[in-house]
Amino acid sequence: MSNVVALKKIEAEPGQAQPARISRPVAAQPEETGYRRTVAPEWLVTGLQRGIPMLVGVALFIAAWAILAQQSQSLPGPLKTWESAKQVFAQPFYVNGPNDQGIGWNILNSLQRVGIGFGLAALVGIPLGFVLGRFRILGDMAAPVISILRPVSPLAWLPIGLLVFKAANPAAIWVIFISSIWPMVLNTAAGVQRIPQDYLNVARVLNLSEWKVFTKILFPAVLPHVLTGVRLAIGVAWLVIVAAEMLTGGVGLGFWVWDEWNNLNVEHIIIAIFVVGIIGLALEQSLLLIARRIRTE
Amino acid sequence: MEKYVQMEGVGMVFNSRRGAFVALKDVNLTIRKGEFVSVIGHSGCGKSTVLNLIAGLLMPTEGVMLCAGREIAGPGPERAVVFQNHSLLPWLTCSENVHLAVERVFGGKESKAQLAERTRAALALVGLTHAELKYPAEISGGMKQRVGIARALAMEPKVLLLDEPFGALDALTRANLQDELMKIVAATGSTVVMVTHDVDEAVLLSDRIVMMTNGPAATVGDILEVDLPRPRERLALAEDPHYNHLRSEVLKFLYERHAHPLAA
Ligand SMILES: Nc1ncnc2c1ncn2[C@@H]1O[C@H](COP(=O)(O)OP(=O)(O)OP(=O)(O)O)[C@@H](O)[C@H]1O
Ligand SMILES: [Mg+2]
């Protein structure tokens, strides 16, 4: 494998000592020829080390699914689902009236609801977390309320939303808001409380203004905690959206699943499950990426 | 010489989960202006507590603390602290860490260029010009401690408080920084209080050594005058009988009269 990479490198630099490739083995005289025997890059090695088991796992999963599907009449197998998926994704943005739209519209509508609900939750939750973490009295006051509200199943909030907003769409957004706000409030508050005393002592010795304390110490120190909260929150929001849309209707992945259940189109339900899973994974991974970027800066 | 920092009958009781803990009891200490005082004692006796009291980071539960004739009501930039664990902000570069302090102390009075110049000068003083743009995680332990010292010095404090500033360093780096510190203090005439558990360091640098008894309820056990002439040369002093006498006085205090409870 390392030879392959070494050869690639040679090709990438054609101007350099081309004849040496023919006359001498690459590794024999690395200094003289200017060649370095390039070891396969680390990402490639670890990628393969982890990638192969991943592929095997996925293959096993699909095999198990195929066997299961053969035993049952109602569950479609991987091939049948794949064929159906090709059709679904061939025309992602068709519109056949309000209740029959392409998968692309369903995804975008769900993402939009999650985006709005989650965005509002971040706008409220993160500052709230800072305040509750910084001022102990407020934190103690809020603690019992949060402890009671947090474990409530997200869908229990739906009737309240319908009651207040008198419309399905805002009610779904409200459910996303209320269920994704807690991880952000709690993680931010915990982050503020866990700031090392040393940093705060620096602030005290320098007698920094509250604004400087916030921008130079509180915010950077808490940022990783905030991002953890955001990541958890977006996971929850995406988890909840399908259920909420099943109940509220409209265009969206959740409603699509429900609609296809009514049509008894099981292939589409399975496709929806994969779409939800893959988008959820993508959301989480992109936030992890952001968090890593910030931490290494 | 005038009295500068005064501790009169100071006691410190911590309210811990297992009840009240008397860390310090009846500490009396007067530090003159321009004096270099070391506080030495076994681990956990309350050296950092004394320093934090002078810094104003802790409030005494008993007694009076004065600085320049006024009660110490809280921390302030005229009493700069070099913390036991350097306490640099990891998200700021070395230069930004120092600049934060410079900006706070001189921000209202001087131009941006002057502030930047102060930051540069402070880092140059500790020989870290090349590391200006590095983050604390990218430099060695000794360099971090030097940035901490630069940050404190850049504030031109009236009192410089050092909590085991060289504790985490190898012997060679430590010796270099000690010499550096002696020069800086000689040049600026600052009042310095330094916590240490290194006997040689205490004798080499100090005008007086405050030796603390073991806690709980620790207090000042004895104060040793170090009347060695300055500037001091570490190599010459190693042979100096008076230096060695002073050194053994401190050792006697620490290992005979107030041996560590674990060692006894
Ligand atoms: N915030 C606190 N709450 C309770 N006890 C404390 C607190 N701070 C210090 N102590 C106790 O006070 C005593 C003195 O602590 P201090 O940190 O001043 O010791 P020290 O002499 O600086 O030790 P070292 O040389 O290890 O740094 C210790 O027994 C410690 O457990
Ligand atoms: Mg200490």
Side-chain angles (χ1 to χ4, degrees):
Chain A
M1 189 172 52
S2 56
N3 274 329
V4 174
V5 180
L7 281 179
K8 263 194 191 148
K9 181 149 193 226
I10 291 163
E11 278 156 13
E13 296 163 322
Q16 270 189 12
Q18 196 77 317
R21 187 165 120 204
I22 304 151
S23 60
R24 282 180 193 149
V26 167
Q29 305 246 303
E31 262 74 39
E32 250 177 71
T33 59
Y35 287 119
R36 237 164 286 137
R37 189 194 175 97
T38 26
V39 184
E42 206 173 314
W43 61 264
L44 190 61
V45 176
T46 53
L48 282 175
Q49 269 171 359
R50 297 184 55 196
I52 291 173
M54 277 179 183
L55 285 178
V56 172
V58 172
L60 280 177
F61 171 76
I62 292 175
W65 172 16
I67 292 168
L68 257 175
Q70 257 182 354
Q71 310 298 318
S72 113
Q73 288 96 24
S74 48
L75 184 68
L79 266 180
K80 212 172 154 202
T81 310
W82 178 248
E83 289 303 322
S84 173
K86 278 202 278 193
Q87 277 175 18
V88 167
F89 282 98
Q91 259 200 327
F93 291 107
Y94 75 86
V95 178
N96 265 349
N99 283 339
D100 185 10
Q101 300 191 6
I103 180 89
W105 289 124
N106 283 312
I107 293 175
L108 287 181
N109 273 282
S110 292
L111 278 176
Q112 189 194 27
R113 286 195 192 96
V114 165
I116 296 174
F118 164 82
L120 290 175
L123 277 181
V124 177
I126 294 172
L128 186 64
F130 267 105
V131 171
L132 297 187
R134 183 96 172 116
F135 304 104
R136 200 191 168 136
I137 298 181
L138 297 180
D140 288 347
M141 276 163 63
V145 181
I146 293 179
S147 320
I148 290 172
L149 296 187
R150 194 171 57 102
V152 173
S153 162
L155 291 185
W157 293 104
L158 189 60
I160 307 274
L162 287 169
L163 188 78
V164 173
F165 299 108
K166 309 226 171 358
N169 199 38
I173 291 171
W174 153 252
V175 170
I176 299 298
F177 171 86
I178 198 75
S179 53
S180 63
I181 196 171
W182 308 122
M184 292 191 274
V185 173
L186 294 175
N187 274 284
T188 307
V192 174
Q193 280 162 355
R194 255 182 249 146
I195 291 179
Q197 190 59 40
D198 296 341
Y199 298 160
L200 297 175
N201 277 347
V202 171
R204 289 177 62 203
V205 168
L206 294 183
N207 223 339
L208 295 178
S209 63
E210 219 15 70
W211 174 246
K212 278 268 168 182
V213 171
F214 180 78
T215 55
K216 296 286 177 181
I217 295 178
L218 281 189
F219 186 72
V222 176
L223 194 56
H225 290 90
V226 172
L227 284 173
T228 306
V230 166
R231 187 162 52 80
L232 294 175
I234 209 149
V236 171
W238 192 245
L239 207 64
V240 167
I241 187 70
V242 173
E245 285 173 347
M246 274 187 175
L247 295 176
T248 59
V251 181
L253 283 169
F255 175 69
W256 193 56
V257 169
W258 193 243
D259 203 36
E260 300 299 355
W261 167 241
N262 288 331
N263 299 337
L264 272 180
N265 190 340
V266 186
E267 286 95 346
H268 284 187
I269 297 179
I270 295 177
I271 293 168
I273 287 173
F274 276 110
V275 168
V276 169
I278 288 168
I279 292 177
L281 184 70
L283 288 175
E284 171 136 355
Q285 288 300 316
S286 47
L287 276 166
L288 274 178
L289 208 72
I290 295 174
R292 214 167 298 147
R293 180 78 44 92
I294 284 173
R295 216 161 296 176
T296 49
E297 249 174 34
Chain B
M1 287 243 236
E2 60 178 298
K3 293 173 180 178
Y4 202 62
V5 177
Q6 286 166 271
M7 301 178 76
E8 284 167 14
V10 167
M12 185 72 213
V13 180
F14 288 111
N15 284 315
S16 66
R17 245 166 280 155
R18 284 182 294 139
F21 177 82
V22 184
L24 297 177
K25 201 174 169 210
D26 196 30
V27 174
N28 292 292
L29 180 61
T30 302
I31 297 167
R32 296 185 294 267
K33 194 165 189 174
E35 196 177 25
F36 195 126
V37 172
S38 286
V39 180
I40 200 167
H42 289 289
S43 179
C45 69
K47 305 183 294 293
S48 293
T49 306
V50 168
L51 203 78
N52 288 338
L53 282 167
I54 300 175
L57 290 167
L58 290 174
M59 284 293 135
T61 45
E62 236 180 279
V64 189
M65 309 258 332
L66 302 174
C67 178
R70 286 204 300 185
E71 176 135 34
I72 296 177
E78 78 283 356
R79 278 164 283 128
V81 186
V82 175
F83 294 94
Q84 194 162 357
N85 49 1
H86 68 75
S87 294
L88 299 179
L89 302 175
W91 43 83
L92 300 183
T93 62
C94 296
S95 163
E96 287 166 342
N97 263 292
V98 176
H99 197 75
L100 190 66
V102 170
E103 213 178 17
R104 174 63 189 85
V105 178
F106 304 101
K109 295 163 268 180
E110 295 184 7
S111 72
K112 282 229 162 81
Q114 279 170 307
L115 297 180
E117 183 47 40
R118 279 183 183 276
T119 304
R120 221 169 300 131
L123 280 169
L125 198 63
V126 295
L128 280 181
T129 307
H130 62 282
E132 262 183 344
L133 298 179
K134 292 201 168 150
Y135 287 89
E138 299 167 348
I139 59 177
S140 71
M143 290 161 81
K144 276 180 221 166
Q145 205 54 272
R146 270 143 72 188
V147 178
I149 293 169
R151 175 171 64 188
L153 290 173
M155 296 158 70
E156 296 190 351
K158 299 207 176 90
V159 185
L160 186 59
L161 302 169
L162 307 159
D163 194 350
E164 300 194 25
F166 314 125
L169 307 180
D170 63 280
L172 213 61
T173 315
R174 187 184 313 175
N176 281 334
L177 283 181
Q178 286 167 350
D179 292 343
E180 206 84 47
L181 181 65
M182 274 196 286
K183 275 187 228 150
I184 292 166
V185 170
T188 58
S190 328
T191 309
V192 184
V193 183
M194 180 180 75
V195 166
T196 182
H197 53 222
D198 181 332
V199 177
D200 288 291
E201 179 171 281
V203 180
L204 179 67
L205 297 179
S206 321
D207 297 316
R208 280 191 303 157
I209 301 176
V210 175
M211 296 176 280
M212 292 188 61
T213 63
N214 291 319
T219 186
V220 175
D222 211 344
I223 297 183
L224 184 73
E225 291 273 350
V226 183
D227 44 3
L228 296 165
R230 289 178 190 271
R232 296 174 186 169
E233 266 292 334
R234 79 174 55 242
L235 285 180
L237 282 178
E239 316 274 301
D240 187 317
H242 188 51
Y243 172 85
N244 283 309
H245 167 76
L246 293 168
R247 196 173 168 278
S248 62
E249 284 293 303
V250 182
L251 286 172
K252 260 186 225 152
F253 178 92
L254 288 177
Y255 297 105
E256 280 174 16
R257 287 162 59 196
H258 293 278
H260 194 273
L262 285 179

